[in-house]
mmCIF file of all heavy atoms in Angstrom:
data_model
loop_
_atom_site.group_PDB
_atom_site.id
_atom_site.type_symbol
_atom_site.label_atom_id
_atom_site.label_comp_id
_atom_site.label_asym_id
_atom_site.label_seq_id
_atom_site.Cartn_x
_atom_site.Cartn_y
_atom_site.Cartn_z
ATOM 1 N N TRP U 8 106.405 -21.540 -34.360
ATOM 2 C CA TRP U 8 105.281 -20.607 -34.476
ATOM 3 C C TRP U 8 104.011 -21.416 -34.629
ATOM 4 O O TRP U 8 103.812 -22.074 -35.643
ATOM 5 C CB TRP U 8 105.451 -19.674 -35.671
ATOM 6 C CG TRP U 8 104.229 -18.868 -35.961
ATOM 7 C CD1 TRP U 8 103.641 -17.956 -35.157
ATOM 8 C CD2 TRP U 8 103.425 -18.928 -37.144
ATOM 9 N NE1 TRP U 8 102.526 -17.429 -35.740
ATOM 10 C CE2 TRP U 8 102.372 -18.010 -36.981
ATOM 11 C CE3 TRP U 8 103.480 -19.655 -38.326
ATOM 12 C CZ2 TRP U 8 101.405 -17.808 -37.932
ATOM 13 C CZ3 TRP U 8 102.517 -19.446 -39.271
ATOM 14 C CH2 TRP U 8 101.501 -18.525 -39.069
ATOM 15 N N ARG U 9 103.132 -21.391 -33.596
ATOM 16 C CA ARG U 9 101.879 -22.133 -33.603
ATOM 17 C C ARG U 9 102.171 -23.587 -33.930
ATOM 18 O O ARG U 9 102.784 -24.290 -33.160
ATOM 19 C CB ARG U 9 100.893 -21.514 -34.590
ATOM 20 C CG ARG U 9 100.508 -20.073 -34.226
ATOM 21 C CD ARG U 9 99.573 -19.485 -35.253
ATOM 22 N NE ARG U 9 99.366 -18.065 -35.039
ATOM 23 C CZ ARG U 9 98.700 -17.291 -35.850
ATOM 24 N NH1 ARG U 9 98.153 -17.779 -36.936
ATOM 25 N NH2 ARG U 9 98.568 -16.002 -35.600
ATOM 26 N N ASP U 79 100.861 -7.121 -39.907
ATOM 27 C CA ASP U 79 99.494 -7.454 -40.292
ATOM 28 C C ASP U 79 99.004 -8.743 -39.641
ATOM 29 O O ASP U 79 97.958 -9.272 -40.018
ATOM 30 C CB ASP U 79 99.384 -7.583 -41.814
ATOM 31 C CG ASP U 79 100.380 -8.583 -42.399
ATOM 32 O OD1 ASP U 79 101.169 -9.166 -41.614
ATOM 33 O OD2 ASP U 79 100.382 -8.769 -43.630
ATOM 34 N N GLY U 80 99.758 -9.256 -38.682
ATOM 35 C CA GLY U 80 99.360 -10.480 -38.003
ATOM 36 C C GLY U 80 99.729 -11.752 -38.720
ATOM 37 O O GLY U 80 99.491 -12.839 -38.197
ATOM 38 N N ILE U 81 100.314 -11.657 -39.907
ATOM 39 C CA ILE U 81 100.757 -12.828 -40.672
ATOM 40 C C ILE U 81 102.273 -12.905 -40.574
ATOM 41 O O ILE U 81 102.979 -11.973 -40.984
ATOM 42 C CB ILE U 81 100.306 -12.733 -42.142
ATOM 43 C CG1 ILE U 81 98.776 -12.647 -42.223
ATOM 44 C CG2 ILE U 81 100.811 -13.928 -42.942
ATOM 45 C CD1 ILE U 81 98.252 -12.455 -43.627
ATOM 46 N N PHE U 105 99.774 -15.902 -47.237
ATOM 47 C CA PHE U 105 98.573 -16.538 -46.674
ATOM 48 C C PHE U 105 97.487 -15.479 -46.529
ATOM 49 O O PHE U 105 97.610 -14.535 -45.758
ATOM 50 C CB PHE U 105 98.901 -17.153 -45.312
ATOM 51 C CG PHE U 105 97.737 -17.826 -44.651
ATOM 52 C CD1 PHE U 105 97.265 -19.042 -45.108
ATOM 53 C CD2 PHE U 105 97.112 -17.251 -43.561
ATOM 54 C CE1 PHE U 105 96.201 -19.671 -44.488
ATOM 55 C CE2 PHE U 105 96.042 -17.864 -42.933
ATOM 56 C CZ PHE U 105 95.594 -19.077 -43.405
ATOM 57 N N GLU U 106 96.393 -15.623 -47.287
ATOM 58 C CA GLU U 106 95.342 -14.616 -47.324
ATOM 59 C C GLU U 106 94.008 -15.141 -46.808
ATOM 60 O O GLU U 106 92.964 -14.624 -47.163
ATOM 61 C CB GLU U 106 95.161 -14.092 -48.758
ATOM 62 C CG GLU U 106 96.381 -13.389 -49.326
ATOM 63 C CD GLU U 106 96.683 -12.080 -48.615
ATOM 64 O OE1 GLU U 106 95.786 -11.581 -47.912
ATOM 65 O OE2 GLU U 106 97.800 -11.565 -48.753
ATOM 66 N N ALA U 107 94.028 -16.173 -45.995
ATOM 67 C CA ALA U 107 92.766 -16.728 -45.485
ATOM 68 C C ALA U 107 92.134 -15.758 -44.491
ATOM 69 O O ALA U 107 92.796 -14.898 -43.908
ATOM 70 C CB ALA U 107 93.010 -18.082 -44.809
ATOM 71 N N ASP U 108 90.839 -15.903 -44.321
ATOM 72 C CA ASP U 108 90.085 -15.024 -43.434
ATOM 73 C C ASP U 108 90.269 -15.494 -41.995
ATOM 74 O O ASP U 108 89.377 -16.062 -41.379
ATOM 75 C CB ASP U 108 88.614 -15.029 -43.849
ATOM 76 C CG ASP U 108 87.814 -14.003 -43.064
ATOM 77 O OD1 ASP U 108 88.440 -13.140 -42.444
ATOM 78 O OD2 ASP U 108 86.577 -14.081 -43.082
ATOM 79 N N ALA U 109 91.475 -15.275 -41.462
ATOM 80 C CA ALA U 109 91.798 -15.698 -40.098
ATOM 81 C C ALA U 109 92.053 -14.470 -39.241
ATOM 82 O O ALA U 109 92.488 -13.427 -39.727
ATOM 83 C CB ALA U 109 93.025 -16.612 -40.096
ATOM 84 N N TYR U 110 91.791 -14.608 -37.941
ATOM 85 C CA TYR U 110 91.905 -13.490 -37.010
ATOM 86 C C TYR U 110 92.983 -13.797 -35.981
ATOM 87 O O TYR U 110 93.331 -14.959 -35.742
ATOM 88 C CB TYR U 110 90.567 -13.225 -36.319
ATOM 89 C CG TYR U 110 89.480 -12.817 -37.279
ATOM 90 C CD1 TYR U 110 88.673 -13.775 -37.894
ATOM 91 C CD2 TYR U 110 89.264 -11.479 -37.577
ATOM 92 C CE1 TYR U 110 87.678 -13.404 -38.784
ATOM 93 C CE2 TYR U 110 88.273 -11.097 -38.468
ATOM 94 C CZ TYR U 110 87.484 -12.057 -39.059
ATOM 95 O OH TYR U 110 86.499 -11.690 -39.961
ATOM 96 N N PHE U 111 93.492 -12.751 -35.359
ATOM 97 C CA PHE U 111 94.602 -12.888 -34.423
ATOM 98 C C PHE U 111 94.528 -11.766 -33.394
ATOM 99 O O PHE U 111 93.787 -10.790 -33.544
ATOM 100 C CB PHE U 111 95.948 -12.818 -35.160
ATOM 101 C CG PHE U 111 96.229 -11.449 -35.716
ATOM 102 C CD1 PHE U 111 96.994 -10.527 -35.004
ATOM 103 C CD2 PHE U 111 95.725 -11.068 -36.948
ATOM 104 C CE1 PHE U 111 97.238 -9.259 -35.507
ATOM 105 C CE2 PHE U 111 95.963 -9.802 -37.454
ATOM 106 C CZ PHE U 111 96.725 -8.894 -36.735
ATOM 107 N N VAL U 112 95.324 -11.903 -32.353
ATOM 108 C CA VAL U 112 95.570 -10.837 -31.380
ATOM 109 C C VAL U 112 97.054 -10.876 -31.047
ATOM 110 O O VAL U 112 97.587 -11.930 -30.674
ATOM 111 C CB VAL U 112 94.724 -10.996 -30.103
ATOM 112 C CG1 VAL U 112 95.202 -10.028 -29.028
ATOM 113 C CG2 VAL U 112 93.265 -10.737 -30.393
ATOM 114 N N LYS U 113 97.710 -9.750 -31.184
ATOM 115 C CA LYS U 113 99.143 -9.652 -30.891
ATOM 116 C C LYS U 113 99.307 -8.970 -29.531
ATOM 117 O O LYS U 113 98.798 -7.876 -29.309
ATOM 118 C CB LYS U 113 99.853 -8.859 -31.981
ATOM 119 C CG LYS U 113 101.366 -8.782 -31.785
ATOM 120 C CD LYS U 113 102.001 -7.850 -32.797
ATOM 121 C CE LYS U 113 101.850 -8.393 -34.201
ATOM 122 N NZ LYS U 113 102.560 -7.528 -35.177
ATOM 123 N N TYR U 143 93.918 -16.487 -23.049
ATOM 124 C CA TYR U 143 92.650 -15.873 -23.453
ATOM 125 C C TYR U 143 91.555 -16.927 -23.499
ATOM 126 O O TYR U 143 91.817 -18.127 -23.651
ATOM 127 C CB TYR U 143 92.780 -15.196 -24.819
ATOM 128 C CG TYR U 143 92.840 -16.166 -25.984
ATOM 129 C CD1 TYR U 143 91.684 -16.596 -26.632
ATOM 130 C CD2 TYR U 143 94.058 -16.654 -26.438
ATOM 131 C CE1 TYR U 143 91.736 -17.478 -27.695
ATOM 132 C CE2 TYR U 143 94.124 -17.536 -27.499
ATOM 133 C CZ TYR U 143 92.954 -17.941 -28.121
ATOM 134 O OH TYR U 143 93.018 -18.833 -29.173
ATOM 135 N N THR U 145 87.554 -17.323 -25.357
ATOM 136 C CA THR U 145 86.595 -16.753 -26.291
ATOM 137 C C THR U 145 85.642 -17.845 -26.732
ATOM 138 O O THR U 145 85.746 -18.999 -26.298
ATOM 139 C CB THR U 145 87.312 -16.137 -27.507
ATOM 140 O OG1 THR U 145 86.353 -15.500 -28.361
ATOM 141 C CG2 THR U 145 88.057 -17.188 -28.291
ATOM 142 N N VAL U 146 84.724 -17.489 -27.602
ATOM 143 C CA VAL U 146 83.752 -18.436 -28.154
ATOM 144 C C VAL U 146 84.008 -18.551 -29.644
ATOM 145 O O VAL U 146 84.104 -17.529 -30.344
ATOM 146 C CB VAL U 146 82.307 -17.970 -27.871
ATOM 147 C CG1 VAL U 146 81.310 -18.940 -28.478
ATOM 148 C CG2 VAL U 146 82.075 -17.836 -26.371
ATOM 149 N N ASP U 147 84.130 -19.784 -30.136
ATOM 150 C CA ASP U 147 84.418 -19.974 -31.556
ATOM 151 C C ASP U 147 83.158 -19.819 -32.388
ATOM 152 O O ASP U 147 82.073 -19.492 -31.875
ATOM 153 C CB ASP U 147 85.080 -21.332 -31.793
ATOM 154 C CG ASP U 147 84.195 -22.499 -31.363
ATOM 155 O OD1 ASP U 147 82.997 -22.273 -31.095
ATOM 156 O OD2 ASP U 147 84.696 -23.630 -31.282
ATOM 157 N N ALA U 148 83.296 -20.043 -33.699
ATOM 158 C CA ALA U 148 82.175 -19.851 -34.615
ATOM 159 C C ALA U 148 81.032 -20.829 -34.362
ATOM 160 O O ALA U 148 79.886 -20.549 -34.720
ATOM 161 C CB ALA U 148 82.664 -19.982 -36.060
ATOM 162 N N LYS U 153 86.567 -21.582 -26.225
ATOM 163 C CA LYS U 153 87.911 -21.833 -26.744
ATOM 164 C C LYS U 153 88.899 -21.013 -25.934
ATOM 165 O O LYS U 153 88.635 -19.857 -25.603
ATOM 166 C CB LYS U 153 87.994 -21.435 -28.220
ATOM 167 C CG LYS U 153 89.386 -21.547 -28.831
ATOM 168 C CD LYS U 153 89.387 -21.062 -30.259
ATOM 169 C CE LYS U 153 90.772 -21.111 -30.861
ATOM 170 N NZ LYS U 153 90.778 -20.592 -32.263
ATOM 171 N N ASN U 173 103.750 -12.002 -28.722
ATOM 172 C CA ASN U 173 103.010 -13.252 -28.920
ATOM 173 C C ASN U 173 101.860 -12.997 -29.884
ATOM 174 O O ASN U 173 101.089 -12.044 -29.694
ATOM 175 C CB ASN U 173 102.456 -13.774 -27.588
ATOM 176 C CG ASN U 173 103.546 -14.294 -26.678
ATOM 177 O OD1 ASN U 173 104.024 -15.402 -26.821
ATOM 178 N ND2 ASN U 173 103.959 -13.467 -25.733
ATOM 179 N N VAL U 174 101.750 -13.829 -30.887
ATOM 180 C CA VAL U 174 100.637 -13.778 -31.833
ATOM 181 C C VAL U 174 99.702 -14.933 -31.501
ATOM 182 O O VAL U 174 100.044 -16.099 -31.682
ATOM 183 C CB VAL U 174 101.121 -13.859 -33.289
ATOM 184 C CG1 VAL U 174 99.942 -13.835 -34.245
ATOM 185 C CG2 VAL U 174 102.063 -12.704 -33.604
ATOM 186 N N LEU U 175 98.515 -14.604 -31.004
ATOM 187 C CA LEU U 175 97.521 -15.608 -30.631
ATOM 188 C C LEU U 175 96.549 -15.774 -31.787
ATOM 189 O O LEU U 175 95.814 -14.844 -32.120
ATOM 190 C CB LEU U 175 96.781 -15.173 -29.359
ATOM 191 C CG LEU U 175 97.667 -14.862 -28.153
ATOM 192 C CD1 LEU U 175 96.829 -14.306 -27.009
ATOM 193 C CD2 LEU U 175 98.418 -16.102 -27.701
ATOM 194 N N GLY U 176 96.564 -16.940 -32.406
ATOM 195 C CA GLY U 176 95.664 -17.202 -33.517
ATOM 196 C C GLY U 176 94.262 -17.525 -33.039
ATOM 197 O O GLY U 176 94.070 -18.331 -32.127
ATOM 198 N N LEU U 177 93.260 -16.892 -33.651
ATOM 199 C CA LEU U 177 91.859 -17.093 -33.274
ATOM 200 C C LEU U 177 91.084 -17.884 -34.317
ATOM 201 O O LEU U 177 89.887 -18.108 -34.137
ATOM 202 C CB LEU U 177 91.172 -15.734 -33.061
ATOM 203 C CG LEU U 177 91.860 -14.779 -32.084
ATOM 204 C CD1 LEU U 177 91.098 -13.473 -32.004
ATOM 205 C CD2 LEU U 177 91.984 -15.413 -30.711
ATOM 206 N N GLY U 178 91.723 -18.286 -35.409
ATOM 207 C CA GLY U 178 91.009 -19.011 -36.453
ATOM 208 C C GLY U 178 90.059 -18.094 -37.206
ATOM 209 O O GLY U 178 90.338 -16.919 -37.438
ATOM 210 N N ARG U 179 88.915 -18.628 -37.578
ATOM 211 C CA ARG U 179 87.925 -17.856 -38.337
ATOM 212 C C ARG U 179 86.862 -17.226 -37.455
ATOM 213 O O ARG U 179 85.839 -16.763 -37.942
ATOM 214 C CB ARG U 179 87.258 -18.748 -39.395
ATOM 215 C CG ARG U 179 88.232 -19.244 -40.455
ATOM 216 C CD ARG U 179 87.536 -20.085 -41.499
ATOM 217 N NE ARG U 179 88.457 -20.531 -42.532
ATOM 218 C CZ ARG U 179 88.752 -19.847 -43.614
ATOM 219 N NH1 ARG U 179 88.187 -18.677 -43.813
ATOM 220 N NH2 ARG U 179 89.609 -20.303 -44.515
ATOM 221 N N SER U 180 87.081 -17.223 -36.171
ATOM 222 C CA SER U 180 86.126 -16.637 -35.242
ATOM 223 C C SER U 180 86.435 -15.157 -35.078
ATOM 224 O O SER U 180 87.529 -14.783 -34.629
ATOM 225 C CB SER U 180 86.186 -17.348 -33.886
ATOM 226 O OG SER U 180 85.342 -16.707 -32.957
ATOM 227 N N ALA U 181 85.460 -14.313 -35.432
ATOM 228 C CA ALA U 181 85.641 -12.857 -35.324
ATOM 229 C C ALA U 181 85.075 -12.317 -34.019
ATOM 230 O O ALA U 181 84.899 -11.096 -33.892
ATOM 231 C CB ALA U 181 84.982 -12.166 -36.513
ATOM 232 N N ASN U 182 84.775 -13.193 -33.066
ATOM 233 C CA ASN U 182 84.220 -12.740 -31.796
ATOM 234 C C ASN U 182 85.268 -12.039 -30.943
ATOM 235 O O ASN U 182 86.469 -12.304 -31.071
ATOM 236 C CB ASN U 182 83.646 -13.930 -31.015
ATOM 237 C CG ASN U 182 82.501 -14.588 -31.746
ATOM 238 O OD1 ASN U 182 81.766 -13.935 -32.474
ATOM 239 N ND2 ASN U 182 82.358 -15.892 -31.569
ATOM 240 N N PHE U 183 84.798 -11.157 -30.070
ATOM 241 C CA PHE U 183 85.702 -10.504 -29.138
ATOM 242 C C PHE U 183 86.279 -11.540 -28.178
ATOM 243 O O PHE U 183 85.651 -12.565 -27.897
ATOM 244 C CB PHE U 183 84.950 -9.433 -28.343
ATOM 245 C CG PHE U 183 84.723 -8.159 -29.110
ATOM 246 C CD1 PHE U 183 84.574 -8.169 -30.481
ATOM 247 C CD2 PHE U 183 84.661 -6.954 -28.443
ATOM 248 C CE1 PHE U 183 84.359 -7.002 -31.180
ATOM 249 C CE2 PHE U 183 84.448 -5.768 -29.130
ATOM 250 C CZ PHE U 183 84.292 -5.796 -30.509
ATOM 251 N N LEU U 184 87.468 -11.257 -27.667
ATOM 252 C CA LEU U 184 88.025 -12.092 -26.607
ATOM 253 C C LEU U 184 87.300 -11.757 -25.310
ATOM 254 O O LEU U 184 87.340 -10.610 -24.834
ATOM 255 C CB LEU U 184 89.519 -11.845 -26.453
ATOM 256 C CG LEU U 184 90.413 -12.215 -27.646
ATOM 257 C CD1 LEU U 184 91.873 -12.050 -27.268
ATOM 258 C CD2 LEU U 184 90.142 -13.626 -28.111
ATOM 259 N N ILE U 208 88.379 -7.767 -25.916
ATOM 260 C CA ILE U 208 89.501 -7.376 -26.767
ATOM 261 C C ILE U 208 89.108 -7.606 -28.218
ATOM 262 O O ILE U 208 88.613 -8.677 -28.588
ATOM 263 C CB ILE U 208 90.766 -8.171 -26.404
ATOM 264 C CG1 ILE U 208 91.113 -7.964 -24.921
ATOM 265 C CG2 ILE U 208 91.924 -7.743 -27.279
ATOM 266 C CD1 ILE U 208 91.391 -6.544 -24.541
ATOM 267 N N ILE U 209 89.346 -6.623 -29.058
ATOM 268 C CA ILE U 209 88.946 -6.685 -30.460
ATOM 269 C C ILE U 209 89.929 -7.562 -31.240
ATOM 270 O O ILE U 209 91.154 -7.426 -31.063
ATOM 271 C CB ILE U 209 88.898 -5.272 -31.066
ATOM 272 C CG1 ILE U 209 87.969 -4.377 -30.244
ATOM 273 C CG2 ILE U 209 88.450 -5.306 -32.513
ATOM 274 C CD1 ILE U 209 87.987 -2.928 -30.672
ATOM 275 N N PRO U 210 89.448 -8.474 -32.104
ATOM 276 C CA PRO U 210 90.365 -9.258 -32.942
ATOM 277 C C PRO U 210 91.135 -8.368 -33.916
ATOM 278 O O PRO U 210 90.757 -7.227 -34.178
ATOM 279 C CB PRO U 210 89.426 -10.224 -33.682
ATOM 280 C CG PRO U 210 88.168 -10.241 -32.884
ATOM 281 C CD PRO U 210 88.044 -8.886 -32.271
ATOM 282 N N ASN U 211 92.204 -8.914 -34.452
ATOM 283 C CA ASN U 211 93.097 -8.198 -35.376
ATOM 284 C C ASN U 211 93.595 -6.894 -34.761
ATOM 285 O O ASN U 211 93.594 -5.840 -35.398
ATOM 286 C CB ASN U 211 92.390 -7.917 -36.707
ATOM 287 C CG ASN U 211 92.277 -9.155 -37.569
ATOM 288 O OD1 ASN U 211 92.486 -10.267 -37.083
ATOM 289 N ND2 ASN U 211 91.953 -8.995 -38.821
ATOM 290 N N SER U 212 94.015 -6.972 -33.516
ATOM 291 C CA SER U 212 94.522 -5.808 -32.815
ATOM 292 C C SER U 212 95.810 -6.177 -32.090
ATOM 293 O O SER U 212 96.163 -7.347 -31.953
ATOM 294 C CB SER U 212 93.489 -5.282 -31.816
ATOM 295 O OG SER U 212 93.210 -6.260 -30.831
ATOM 296 N N LEU U 233 94.607 -1.056 -33.306
ATOM 297 C CA LEU U 233 93.923 -1.852 -34.315
ATOM 298 C C LEU U 233 94.782 -1.979 -35.563
ATOM 299 O O LEU U 233 95.461 -1.023 -35.957
ATOM 300 C CB LEU U 233 92.570 -1.225 -34.679
ATOM 301 C CG LEU U 233 91.522 -1.196 -33.573
ATOM 302 C CD1 LEU U 233 90.250 -0.533 -34.076
ATOM 303 C CD2 LEU U 233 91.216 -2.601 -33.077
ATOM 304 N N THR U 234 94.718 -3.135 -36.182
ATOM 305 C CA THR U 234 95.442 -3.392 -37.425
ATOM 306 C C THR U 234 94.430 -3.544 -38.545
ATOM 307 O O THR U 234 93.763 -4.578 -38.654
ATOM 308 C CB THR U 234 96.283 -4.678 -37.315
ATOM 309 O OG1 THR U 234 97.178 -4.540 -36.211
ATOM 310 C CG2 THR U 234 97.072 -4.917 -38.589
ATOM 311 N N PRO U 235 94.244 -2.530 -39.386
ATOM 312 C CA PRO U 235 93.268 -2.645 -40.472
ATOM 313 C C PRO U 235 93.698 -3.697 -41.483
ATOM 314 O O PRO U 235 94.877 -3.845 -41.788
ATOM 315 C CB PRO U 235 93.245 -1.243 -41.093
ATOM 316 C CG PRO U 235 94.557 -0.656 -40.723
ATOM 317 C CD PRO U 235 94.925 -1.225 -39.392
ATOM 318 N N SER U 236 92.722 -4.397 -42.019
ATOM 319 C CA SER U 236 92.990 -5.445 -43.001
ATOM 320 C C SER U 236 92.232 -5.147 -44.284
ATOM 321 O O SER U 236 91.566 -4.119 -44.424
ATOM 322 C CB SER U 236 92.571 -6.811 -42.439
ATOM 323 O OG SER U 236 91.177 -6.810 -42.157
ATOM 324 N N ASN U 237 92.336 -6.068 -45.233
ATOM 325 C CA ASN U 237 91.637 -5.894 -46.507
ATOM 326 C C ASN U 237 90.124 -5.904 -46.334
ATOM 327 O O ASN U 237 89.399 -5.329 -47.145
ATOM 328 C CB ASN U 237 92.056 -6.999 -47.484
ATOM 329 C CG ASN U 237 93.510 -6.881 -47.877
ATOM 330 O OD1 ASN U 237 94.067 -5.787 -47.869
ATOM 331 N ND2 ASN U 237 94.126 -7.999 -48.216
ATOM 332 N N ILE U 238 89.656 -6.561 -45.258
ATOM 333 C CA ILE U 238 88.214 -6.605 -45.025
ATOM 334 C C ILE U 238 87.670 -5.207 -44.754
ATOM 335 O O ILE U 238 86.574 -4.854 -45.192
ATOM 336 C CB ILE U 238 87.904 -7.560 -43.858
ATOM 337 C CG1 ILE U 238 88.384 -8.976 -44.182
ATOM 338 C CG2 ILE U 238 86.427 -7.566 -43.535
ATOM 339 C CD1 ILE U 238 88.178 -9.959 -43.070
ATOM 340 N N VAL U 239 88.444 -4.400 -44.024
ATOM 341 C CA VAL U 239 88.010 -3.024 -43.763
ATOM 342 C C VAL U 239 87.898 -2.244 -45.051
ATOM 343 O O VAL U 239 86.941 -1.493 -45.276
ATOM 344 C CB VAL U 239 88.989 -2.358 -42.782
ATOM 345 C CG1 VAL U 239 88.580 -0.903 -42.527
ATOM 346 C CG2 VAL U 239 89.051 -3.126 -41.468
ATOM 347 N N THR U 242 84.886 -3.464 -46.993
ATOM 348 C CA THR U 242 83.666 -2.974 -46.364
ATOM 349 C C THR U 242 83.425 -1.507 -46.702
ATOM 350 O O THR U 242 82.287 -1.098 -46.986
ATOM 351 C CB THR U 242 83.750 -3.155 -44.840
ATOM 352 O OG1 THR U 242 83.991 -4.544 -44.548
ATOM 353 C CG2 THR U 242 82.464 -2.718 -44.171
#
Side-chain angles (χ1 to χ4, degrees):
W8 170 62
R9 298 178 189 174
D79 55 359
I81 300 176
F105 180 73
E106 297 293 344
D108 187 15
Y110 297 89
F111 69 95
V112 169
K113 183 187 295 184
Y143 74 90
T145 184
V146 179
D147 61 12
K153 175 183 178 182
N173 289 280
V174 179
L175 305 174
L177 306 178
R179 296 182 179 273
S180 175
N182 297 329
F183 282 30
L184 296 186
I208 303 299
I209 304 173
N211 285 14
S212 62
L233 294 179
T234 303
S236 61
N237 294 332
I238 299 177
V239 178
T242 303

